[in-house]
Amino acid sequence: MASKRVVAKLQPAVNASVSRSLRLNGAQKLSYTTRSIVGPAPAARKLETRQLQQFARYASSEAAAEKPARTGLYELHSKYGAKFVPFGGYEMPVQYGDLSIIESHNWTREKASLFDVGHMVQHHFSGPGAEAFLETITPSSISTLPPNQSTLSTLLHPETGGIVDDTVIARLPDKFHVVTNAGCREKDKAYLSEQLESFKQQNPDKAVQWDILDGQGLIALQGPLSADILSRVLADESALTLKALYFGQCTPATIKGTDVQVLVSRAGYTGEDGFEISIPSAATEAVTQFLLDNAKDELRFAGLGARDTLRLEAGMCLYGHDLDDTTTPVEAALSWIIGKDRRAKGGFHGDSVILQQLKKKSEGGGVSRRRIGLIVEGSPAREGAEIVDESGAKIGNITSGCPSPTLKKNISMGYIKDGLHKAGTEVQVVVRGRKRKAVVTKMPFVPSKYFKQPTTAKA
């Protein structure tokens, strides 16, 4: 009955307005929405002090607005007892009243959780020059990316190959859907404006249309029960399509009982099977509530606290901490995003630096440092801690770290001197003035469970 009530409420409120917004692709060039919904959040469980301090540090290092903005789900978060912190220029939920951060983490691994990622920036690039433009500013093989397929990539600085931001790029039938980080919003806007103007001057015959989706909702449904839960709220035809959707693929879908269309991508930041769902702004809250009402015993909201521990267990980077403007994809252990054809032909920003780094040391290639994972004994090693050798000489630094709820061990991510990056290498980490034993470990720390397309065995 709850599901029927939500659909009934969603239909008249959304169908008329959404039909128009869908015709416009929900986009408005170079515009943003700052919501001003006012209302105190209900009391939540006590937040672990150290994790609150950690997110305060994250927020303080990002480019935030003078007054944090709010996503279209702010009121819904408040209804579910969210505790908010500033993050990426937004007031974002860090945890909720029904579960602690560790409980929320475990719930995601065992059932399914819903994350609001509406603070992320969604873009559309279209026109005859869109593909060539994206291949200029990223090292990915955009030209060979199949329709309704996505790839993780990075925006690159022209000369150094440093990472401006990490991003996900999806090829839709008539455009590219690109998602970038909220904390890099203004930096990315300036970068893309400058690069697009330069591209147009050099390629006057290759027009590119750039649209920023104004107020578009984005939620991440993550966990082993995600596919079953999502199929319940999709129209029959869309639910059938979902069964054949593999990790890295995307498809348009229709919400059951309505004409609301969303973009569903099988992707995520937790290492679990899951989806990211882009929703027209007018329908974001209703669709999210519809999902929650259709899986009351299986689905819970989750906040930044659980998202951080989950992503670290999955070996995922957080921009501004594990990645920055001075780091190249090769140093960051992201060489796999550089397409084979791009390695052969180059043609992307920073290609002279990056392609040289990919070469063997005997050919003058290589890097001086590499991103690695660590298992640390004793106290957890967090961002800023130094990695040292037996003599106490600094050989690296920690960029992220936390106790792993799944492994019951302290895990960290950081950069270490090249040659010491192999799994099994024993080092030490300085935590609050004391040296702690640590060992370099392969990532992800927890095996990923993505729903991948079966590989065809060679004859």
Side-chain angles (χ1 to χ4, degrees):
M1 291 299 294
S3 299
K4 291 181 180 179
R5 287 197 299 271
V6 172
V7 172
K9 179 181 177 182
L10 191 152
Q11 271 186 299
V14 171
N15 286 348
S17 61
V18 168
S19 61
R20 179 176 181 275
S21 66
L22 289 177
R23 287 197 301 271
L24 296 172
N25 294 321
Q28 184 174 349
K29 189 174 182 182
L30 296 181
S31 59
Y32 300 95
T33 294
T34 300
R35 300 181 181 271
S36 56
I37 302 168
V38 178
R45 283 185 180 228
K46 185 178 180 181
L47 180 68
E48 289 88 337
T49 302
R50 187 173 294 277
Q51 284 196 273
L52 182 57
Q53 291 172 341
Q54 177 181 350
F55 283 102
R57 289 196 300 271
Y58 283 173
S60 66
S61 65
E62 293 173 345
E66 290 184 6
K67 182 179 180 180
R70 293 172 176 176
T71 73
L73 294 179
Y74 180 85
E75 286 190 321
L76 196 58
H77 294 314
S78 297
K79 172 184 172 182
Y80 280 84
K83 170 72 176 182
F84 294 95
V85 296
F87 186 84
Y90 280 74
E91 287 185 79
M92 296 298 294
V94 68
Q95 72 172 99
Y96 295 81
D98 58 342
L99 298 172
S100 69
I101 290 175
I102 292 177
E103 288 170 340
S104 183
H105 176 110
N106 293 333
W107 187 281
T108 309
R109 294 274 185 240
E110 296 167 7
K111 297 183 180 182
S113 293
L114 199 58
F115 300 82
D116 181 7
V117 286
H119 61 310
M120 305 286 278
V121 186
Q122 300 178 70
H123 315 251
H124 280 166
F125 290 91
S126 58
E131 179 183 289
F133 173 64
L134 292 175
E135 284 215 324
T136 299
I137 62 175
T138 78
S140 300
S141 297
I142 306 298
S143 63
T144 58
L145 190 66
N148 297 319
Q149 185 83 31
S150 65
T151 181
L152 177 68
S153 192
T154 55
L155 306 179
L156 299 173
H157 284 290
E159 301 299 328
T160 65
I163 299 173
V164 178
D165 198 3
D166 58 310
T167 181
V168 175
I169 302 172
R171 180 190 285 273
L172 304 182
D174 59 343
K175 64 178 76 73
F176 291 93
H177 184 261
V178 178
V179 181
T180 56
N181 285 301
C184 297
R185 180 183 297 268
E186 294 306 318
K187 182 178 77 166
D188 289 349
K189 180 180 174 181
Y191 168 85
L192 290 169
S193 296
E194 180 182 352
Q195 296 305 315
L196 189 56
E197 181 61 30
S198 175
F199 178 84
K200 288 180 177 180
Q201 290 179 2
Q202 297 176 36
N203 304 274
D205 58 328
K206 295 181 179 179
V208 181
Q209 177 69 33
W210 171 31
D211 300 299
I212 298 176
L213 307 193
D214 181 24
Q216 185 87 349
L218 188 65
I219 56 176
L221 174 62
Q222 298 285 294
L225 303 183
S226 296
D228 179 58
I229 291 171
L230 182 56
S231 66
R232 298 176 203 170
V233 304
L234 297 182
D236 291 344
E237 186 176 341
S238 295
L240 286 174
T241 302
L242 191 70
K243 292 182 178 181
L245 196 71
Y246 292 105
F247 179 76
Q249 295 179 335
C250 56
T251 183
T254 304
I255 300 299
K256 182 184 294 185
T258 77
D259 63 4
V260 176
Q261 291 190 344
V262 298
L263 178 66
V264 174
S265 303
R266 201 151 201 166
Y269 200 53
T270 65
E272 296 291 335
D273 183 26
F275 305 86
E276 291 191 353
I277 309 162
S278 180
I279 313 170
S281 58
T284 302
E285 182 174 333
V287 170
T288 303
Q289 184 71 73
F290 193 24
L291 273 164
L292 291 165
D293 286 347
N294 271 273
K296 289 187 174 180
D297 297 326
E298 303 146 306
L299 182 63
R300 293 286 186 276
F301 262 133
L304 292 172
R307 185 171 182 258
D308 195 53
T309 55
L310 288 161
R311 70 93 187 170
L312 189 50
E313 287 187 347
M316 299 287 190
C317 298
L318 177 64
Y319 192 85
H321 303 272
D322 311 303
L323 304 174
D324 60 28
D325 297 283
T326 68
T327 306
T328 70
V330 183
E331 293 173 316
L334 295 175
S335 297
W336 58 271
I337 71 171
I338 307 169
K340 290 183 179 179
D341 59 323
R342 311 311 305 280
R343 296 177 186 227
K345 300 177 182 178
F348 55 88
H349 285 347
D351 56 358
S352 60
V353 173
I354 291 171
L355 295 181
Q356 185 64 32
Q357 290 178 340
L358 287 172
K359 293 181 180 180
K360 298 178 181 179
K361 282 191 174 181
S362 59
E363 300 173 347
V367 293
S368 61
R369 59 173 186 152
R370 294 182 184 273
R371 181 171 66 92
I372 48 94
L374 289 170
I375 299 291
V376 183
E377 293 184 9
S379 301
R382 303 181 188 274
E383 181 180 8
E386 292 186 353
I387 306 171
V388 299
D389 61 18
E390 290 184 357
S391 68
K394 182 179 177 181
I395 54 174
N397 64 285
I398 300 297
T399 54
S400 291
C402 71
S404 164
T406 303
L407 300 177
K408 305 296 190 296
K409 297 178 180 179
N410 296 318
I411 60 174
S412 295
M413 186 187 298
Y415 286 80
I416 200 168
K417 184 179 178 181
D418 182 55
L420 300 174
H421 63 284
K422 295 182 180 179
T425 302
E426 296 181 354
V427 296
Q428 297 181 80
V429 180
V430 181
V431 181
R432 295 194 292 276
R434 295 185 59 184
K435 294 179 182 177
R436 303 287 184 177
K437 292 182 179 180
V439 60
V440 177
T441 307
K442 289 184 178 180
M443 293 185 288
F445 296 98
V446 175
S448 299
K449 300 174 184 176
Y450 304 127
F451 187 67
K452 292 187 176 182
Q453 190 166 6
T455 55
T456 304
K458 294 183 179 179

